[in-house]
Amino acid sequence: MNKIYPDAAAALSGLTFDGMTVMAGGFGLCGIPENLIAALRDSGAKNMTAISNNAGVDDFGLGLLLQTRQISKMISSYVGENATFERQYLNGELELEFNPQGTMAERIRAGGAGIPGFYTKTGVGTLIGEGKEHKDFNGETYILETGLVADLSLVKAWKADTEGNLIYRKTARNFNPMMATAGKVTVVEVEEVVEAGELDSNAIHTPGIYVDRIIVGSHEKRIEKRTTRAA
């Protein structure tokens, strides 16, 4: 099975549809599948639910899909850097399911592992816990959270081999490994593809069994916030 595709549009061909749920890796602008996100925008799919730690910035990352109003719901942890996200939410134009960051990571990991739900103390006694099942364990109260899965996972990795085994680089590892396991279809963009057997088997983060399609992308690697001080 050839997993290597010539570009992002080809890699998403036949996978997008209105009302789909999509996961997109990344933390801020670090480790985001920017080429695949742009191709998803160009696909014209609308009314999407997007699962991502945040929505990038106004003109980059998932912010592109908010600008075109192709996303109707976000499942996220943080919205503070995207004015479009904030405006659409406050105007009632965008549904938002807030998640504590660790809870969201575990919901994705659970979904990828076939675990439908788990209990956590995070959110007990807050708005996060409202309407959710509560249960006591050893004298402590926990709330039930459900696993997350997606029709499509978009993932950014550093290197892949032709069988789809992946290595992430440093902070870009973030949500990408969990999302790679939690998509019904997983499409990955990388900086380099090598032949099968060239990657150190002990260094592989995501086994190729989870990966369906791969592209080599050209990456802008923006700096989200630049802080300087006088010498």
Side-chain angles (χ1 to χ4, degrees), residues 165-185:
N165 298 301
L166 305 179
I167 295 176
Y168 307 94
R169 188 171 187 270
K170 299 183 179 180
T171 310
R173 194 167 173 179
N174 51 61
F175 285 87
N176 283 297
M178 294 88 77
M179 290 185 173
T181 69
K184 296 176 183 177
V185 179

Side-chain angles (χ1 to χ4, degrees), residues 134-212:
H134 288 60
K135 191 169 184 177
D136 289 347
F137 295 91
N138 299 318
E140 298 283 350
T141 301
Y142 295 74
I143 57 175
L144 178 66
E145 295 282 1
T146 55
L148 289 172
V149 295
D151 298 302
L152 175 66
S153 283
L154 304 182
V155 170
K156 167 67 169 62
W158 178 38
K159 287 185 180 182
D161 66 18
T162 52
E163 293 185 355
N165 298 301
L166 305 179
I167 295 176
Y168 307 94
R169 188 171 187 270
K170 299 183 179 180
T171 310
R173 194 167 173 179
N174 51 61
F175 285 87
N176 283 297
M178 294 88 77
M179 290 185 173
T181 69
K184 296 176 183 177
V185 179
T186 295
V187 183
V188 183
E189 66 178 70
V190 299
E191 298 177 34
E192 181 181 355
V193 174
V194 300
E195 292 300 319
E198 290 189 30
L199 297 180
D200 179 357
S201 59
N202 291 307
I204 291 170
H205 298 129
T206 295
I209 189 66
Y210 293 109
V211 175
D212 299 285

Side-chain angles (χ1 to χ4, degrees), residues 5 9 13-14 19 23 25 27 30 53 77 110 125 143 173 181 201 207 216-217 226:
Y5 283 68
S13 178
M23 289 183 180
F27 186 95
C30 179
N53 178 67
S77 294
I143 57 175
R173 194 167 173 179
T181 69
S201 59
V216 177
R226 188 185 301 275

Side-chain angles (χ1 to χ4, degrees), residues 60-82:
F60 198 59
L62 287 178
L64 296 174
L65 294 171
L66 290 175
Q67 284 186 337
T68 55
R69 300 182 181 275
Q70 290 170 263
I71 296 174
S72 59
K73 179 179 179 178
M74 289 288 305
I75 301 176
S76 299
S77 294
Y78 182 62
V79 303
E81 302 301 325
N82 191 310

